[in-house]
């Protein structure tokens, strides 16, 4: 009998501090009008100095575990997607596992930048549908604010902090129907935080650098392709899709992609105005919001998609 993995609980967490576009006006030469027109972003959340990526992940995970109606001790796989880990090693997933008071099961991080949650969920799906894991915790958690040059107006207005999590469990009923992952490393310098450590010294800049226009065009192209690929693989039309949950980088990328796919705006979950781009956390944050406010209902078709540094990109199609 074919087994599937199914999301049985979602959760999220946003740090208390909100940084508005007006706040940014007093920090760099920008305007609320410019930011909203070019990106759709109104505000973003910023982690407190003492908070770590695993702290944010912990809050989101607790909410997801509660929603799933299981105990933390039922979790037998922990995957954290992050670009901003607590430290070089151990993985943020191991630190999170310890904070959840569990031990023994595999725990590891996935680094695929803004596609990280799509990569992590696709990976967990393979553990769960094959029977290797029973209950997987999959988290996207980021403190982007720590790798931003707050003097660079071309990047500092775009990003925010947060975490989202899901619990995946094995079920005879789908569940995740397909996942499609891609990467093209020839773009590795177009979007990066190109620092490295040499003999204890940092070389290069740890701040996000990007060619915004190239990222924009590439994102719209591959996101349309990744969703179309998912539809073809499941013999579905775009009109069958109830909810598109895109990576939240820029409202213009989101609406251009939806338009190319023929998916109407009212079926697109957009949180970028409130969250900014939270990298690997953006898709699970948007998913949790749409589950909790009752938009996503049983048996509906939901497509998740993401694109990010690498470049990496992909899609996951599921039946709720
Ligand atoms: N405030 C005011 N002016 C600004 C700002 C700012 N914050 N940033 C740039 N500008 C200026 C530029 O200097 C430029 O001025 P100039 O014409 O005098 O040279 C002007 O605004 C236009 O700049 P463009 O870069 O052409 O603006 P564009 O419309 O392309 O928007 C943006 C830039 C928002 C970065 C867009 O290219 C974009 O969203 N790209 C995708 C990048 C992205 O989302 N990256 C996130 C990570 S990747 C991911 O998550 C997939």
């Amino acid at each position: 009998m074919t087994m599937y993995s199914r999301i049985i609980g979602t959760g999220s967490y946003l740090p208390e501090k909100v940084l508005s576009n007006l706040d940014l006006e007093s920090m760099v030469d920008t305007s609320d009008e410019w930011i909203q027109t070019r990106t759709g972003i109104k505000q973003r959340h910023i982690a407190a100095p003492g908070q770590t990526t695993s702290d944010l992940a912990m809050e989101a995970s607790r909410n997801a575990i509660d929603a799933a109606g299981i105990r933390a001790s039922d979790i037998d796989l922990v995957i954290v997607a992050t670009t901003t880990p607590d430290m070089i090693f151990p993985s943020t997933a191991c630190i999170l596992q310890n904070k959840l008071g569990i031990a023994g099961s595999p725990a590891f991080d996935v680094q695929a930048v803004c596609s990280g949650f799509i990569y992590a969920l696709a990976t967990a799906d393979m553990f769960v549908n094959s029977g290797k894991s029973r209950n997987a915790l999959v988290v996207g958690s980021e403190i982007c604010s720590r790798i931003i040059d707050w003097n660079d107006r071309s990047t500092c207005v775009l990003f925010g902090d947060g975490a989202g999590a899901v619990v995946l469990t094995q079920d005879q009923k789908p569940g995740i129907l397909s996942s499609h992952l891609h990467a093209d490393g020839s773009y590795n310098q177009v979007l990066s935080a190109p620092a490295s450590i040499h003999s204890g010294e940092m070389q290069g800049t740890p701040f996000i650098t990007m060619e915004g226009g190239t990222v924009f065009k590439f994102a719209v192209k591959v996101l349309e392709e990744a969703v179309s690929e998912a539809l073809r693989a499941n013999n579905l039309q775009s009109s069958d899709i109830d909810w598109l949950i895109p990576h939240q980088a820029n409202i213009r990328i989101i609406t251009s992609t939806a338009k190319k796919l023929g998916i109407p705006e009212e079926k697109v979950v957009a949180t970028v105005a409130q969250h900014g781009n939270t990298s690997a956390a953006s898709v699970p944050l948007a998913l949790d919001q749409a589950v909790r406010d009752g938009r996503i209902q049983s048996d509906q078709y939901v497509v998740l998609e993401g694109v990010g540094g690498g470049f990496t990109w992909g899609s996951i199609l599921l039946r709720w």
Side-chain angles (χ1 to χ4, degrees):
M1 185 190 302
T2 309
M3 291 305 275
Y4 296 93
S5 66
R6 186 175 186 78
I7 295 175
I8 57 162
T10 64
S12 58
Y13 173 76
L14 290 159
E16 220 169 282
K17 182 180 169 188
V18 171
L19 188 71
S20 69
N21 292 349
L22 288 180
D23 296 330
L24 279 163
E25 283 185 6
S26 65
M27 295 161 65
V28 286
D29 180 14
T30 191
S31 67
D32 175 45
E33 200 264 332
W34 192 96
I35 301 170
Q36 285 211 46
T37 314
R38 302 293 177 118
T39 72
I41 299 168
K42 295 185 169 138
Q43 61 167 55
R44 66 290 290 144
H45 291 251
I46 305 291
Q51 278 183 312
T52 60
T53 295
S54 64
D55 289 335
L56 274 51
M58 226 276 285
E59 301 289 342
S61 299
R62 284 247 169 263
N63 291 335
I65 290 167
D66 286 349
I70 63 168
R71 288 166 308 190
S73 56
D74 296 324
I75 299 290
D76 59 2
L77 171 68
V78 179
I79 307 182
V80 174
T82 188
T83 316
T84 50
D86 285 17
M87 52 185 82
I88 294 172
F89 76 84
S91 69
T92 303
C94 284
I95 298 169
L96 171 64
Q97 188 204 45
N98 182 52
K99 285 184 175 167
L100 288 168
I102 56 177
S105 60
F108 58 91
D109 287 359
V110 163
Q111 162 58 301
V113 202
C114 301
S115 317
F117 184 77
I118 303 293
Y119 266 63
L121 191 59
T123 307
D125 175 41
M126 290 182 244
F127 274 84
V128 173
N129 70 24
S130 66
K132 293 258 181 237
S133 305
R134 280 214 66 79
N135 293 300
L137 175 66
V138 187
V139 189
S141 185
E142 300 277 17
I143 303 187
C144 297
S145 60
R146 306 236 170 106
I147 56 164
I148 283 165
D149 177 355
W150 288 101
N151 297 311
D152 176 6
R153 69 175 182 172
S154 70
T155 53
C156 77
V157 302
L158 303 175
F159 296 90
D161 304 336
V166 302
V167 174
L168 264 192
T169 198
Q170 203 185 47
D171 204 327
Q172 288 171 17
K173 188 179 158 214
I176 293 182
L177 294 167
S178 66
S179 59
H180 292 90
L181 304 179
H182 298 279
D184 183 346
S186 67
Y187 288 90
N188 73 76
Q189 289 175 11
V190 172
L191 174 60
S192 61
S196 56
I197 305 289
H198 291 260
S199 307
E201 302 286 327
M202 188 170 67
Q203 289 187 5
T205 172
F207 297 130
I208 295 174
T209 59
M210 66 175 185
E211 294 170 25
T214 309
V215 176
F216 192 103
K217 283 189 216 109
F218 187 88
V220 175
K221 177 177 172 290
V222 299
L223 290 175
E224 191 267 331
E225 287 170 4
V227 175
S228 296
E229 190 178 21
L231 292 173
R232 274 196 309 278
N234 292 284
N235 290 316
L236 294 172
Q237 311 290 319
S238 57
S239 54
D240 295 318
I241 297 305
D242 295 292
W243 297 107
L244 175 67
I245 307 199
H247 169 52
Q248 310 282 323
N250 183 320
I251 196 68
R252 288 157 56 218
I253 295 178
I254 293 172
T255 49
S256 304
T257 308
K259 200 167 162 206
K260 276 178 94 175
L261 287 163
I263 296 178
E265 229 172 277
E266 56 277 12
K267 291 185 172 181
V268 180
V269 177
T271 54
V272 67
Q274 276 73 43
H275 302 169
N277 181 351
T278 57
S279 187
S282 91
V283 169
L285 269 163
L287 175 66
D288 185 48
Q289 192 176 92
V291 168
R292 283 175 191 263
D293 67 20
R295 272 179 284 177
I296 297 180
Q297 294 288 326
S298 188
D299 280 335
Q300 289 185 329
Y301 285 110
V302 179
V303 186
L304 316 178
E305 45 96 322
V307 59
F311 282 136
T312 54
W313 66 99
S315 65
I316 291 183
L317 197 145
L318 47 92
R319 191 125 202 216
W320 199 254

